[in-house]
Amino acid sequence: MATATATGWLADLTDLYTPTPSQFDGARTHRTAIESRLALHLGVHDMFEIGSLRHGTGVWQFSDADYLVSLSGRRPESPWTVLNKVKEQLQARFIGTNVVVRRPAVVCRFEDGDVEVVPAYPSASGYWIANPADGWMLTHPREHNVYVTRVNAKHEGSVKRLARQVKVWKYRRNVPISSCYLEMRTAQHMDGEASYVPLWDLYLTLKKMRDAGLASLNDPTGLGSRFGACSSEANRVAALIKLDTAVGRALKAKDYQIDGDEPSAIAQLKLLFDR
């Protein structure tokens, strides 16, 4: 990237990490086999695509194809019970594939792309899924997509680009924060803004999360449970250290740009995104 301005450099980075429409077609071909196996052994009400690829905030080389599978029967007391059952069934079906639990999902690491399967139980409103932190959480994935899309339309597509940038930072810097949490925090920030300024809003999004101490986020739609940021307290502490560094670099990039020093602003962005 040899763009002369920091805003241009950031735009190029975002374009670089934007998946092509067909990138995950291979991974998506496993859906029928996954659904059939779980329907036979556990019972399935419904299965549909969720996550960043569905929302248009996926990251090239890092994002997975994500599916929520609504299971039959009673919800067990511990989400580990159903996560382990789903893992057991998928490992038996795909013997040569590495299948792991990464709460709230079971991940099948296929050669043509990872597929995340999120076990869920229907409620009167939404679905119960494993909370990345602990226990169960109530989620409304379709409504969350509508919310993010609405805020994105308000800012003419900039919100999903900003969410992708924050996720690129997460993946490039190996930060143990939930992608869903980052997306909803980004949308919540931009929902309160009258306009979008690339470096300013990148800085403010990171800063607000840092200042909140990566606390759980109330569902902006008012429908579901709070969004947890990390799967453990140790991960939250580790993520905050990296987040504090990121805020400092984003602040410097923004200030250098205001001062007209585009090369220094770009240098800070390169440090921020490990480029």
Side-chain angles (χ1 to χ4, degrees):
M1 300 179 188
T3 307
T5 68
T7 298
W9 188 93
L10 189 59
D12 286 348
L13 178 87
T14 310
D15 290 344
L16 175 65
Y17 282 99
T18 300
T20 64
S22 62
Q23 182 181 341
F24 287 86
D25 284 353
R28 288 178 173 127
T29 62
H30 301 287
R31 171 181 174 166
T32 300
I34 291 171
E35 186 172 8
S36 296
R37 179 73 186 195
L38 296 182
L40 178 63
H41 292 276
L42 298 179
V44 171
H45 290 299
D46 191 15
M47 182 171 171
F48 55 92
E49 190 170 9
I50 59 172
S52 58
L53 290 176
R54 179 69 174 174
H55 290 191
T57 60
V59 177
W60 173 61
Q61 292 186 327
F62 293 103
S63 293
D64 308 324
D66 301 303
Y67 293 94
L68 183 145
V69 56
S70 176
L71 298 173
S72 304
R74 295 185 63 180
R75 174 167 57 96
E77 182 176 348
S78 170
W80 284 109
T81 301
V82 68
L83 287 168
N84 289 329
K85 284 183 178 180
V86 170
K87 177 184 183 299
E88 177 184 340
Q89 291 301 326
L90 295 182
Q91 189 65 82
R93 172 61 179 82
F94 305 106
I95 297 175
T97 299
N98 185 24
V99 181
V100 300
V101 174
R102 190 171 70 195
R103 201 168 51 185
V106 176
V107 185
C108 299
R109 303 194 184 284
F110 297 111
E111 290 185 0
D112 49 5
D114 289 356
V115 176
E116 290 199 8
V117 180
V118 179
Y121 289 90
S123 74
S125 173
Y127 298 88
W128 290 103
I129 66 170
N131 191 319
D134 187 34
W136 293 96
M137 64 179 287
L138 186 60
T139 186
H140 295 74
R142 292 186 174 101
E143 289 79 2
H144 295 156
N145 190 18
V146 169
Y147 170 73
V148 173
T149 299
R150 177 183 65 75
V151 182
N152 187 58
K154 170 184 173 182
H155 293 284
E156 300 180 339
S158 298
V159 174
K160 292 187 177 183
R161 292 177 65 82
L162 177 58
R164 179 173 286 117
Q165 292 159 13
V166 177
K167 291 181 184 182
V168 171
W169 163 74
K170 160 195 160 73
Y171 292 120
R172 293 288 302 173
R173 286 297 181 182
N174 193 27
V175 188
I177 302 178
S178 160
S179 292
C180 183
Y181 180 88
L182 293 176
E183 181 167 317
M184 298 308 287
R185 279 284 187 189
T186 301
Q188 183 190 52
H189 160 66
M190 290 305 302
D191 198 16
E193 298 296 308
S195 62
Y196 169 69
V197 182
L199 268 64
W200 266 97
D201 287 306
L202 176 61
Y203 161 66
L204 288 174
T205 299
L206 295 170
K207 180 179 183 296
K208 286 180 178 180
M209 287 191 290
R210 191 273 313 273
D211 292 351
L214 290 176
S216 294
L217 170 69
N218 287 331
D219 186 341
T221 67
L223 295 172
S225 304
R226 289 165 63 84
F227 289 88
C230 304
S231 60
S232 68
E233 178 60 17
N235 279 344
R236 189 185 72 86
V237 172
L240 274 173
I241 293 171
K242 294 187 176 186
L243 181 55
D244 191 59
T245 299
V247 171
R249 288 168 174 166
L251 173 62
K252 289 179 180 178
K254 182 260 299 180
D255 287 346
Y256 277 129
Q257 185 184 58
I258 290 173
D259 291 340
D261 188 349
E262 297 287 352
S264 293
I266 292 172
Q268 289 300 316
L269 290 177
K270 289 179 176 179
L271 287 172
L272 174 62
F273 292 105
D274 191 27
R275 294 290 300 178

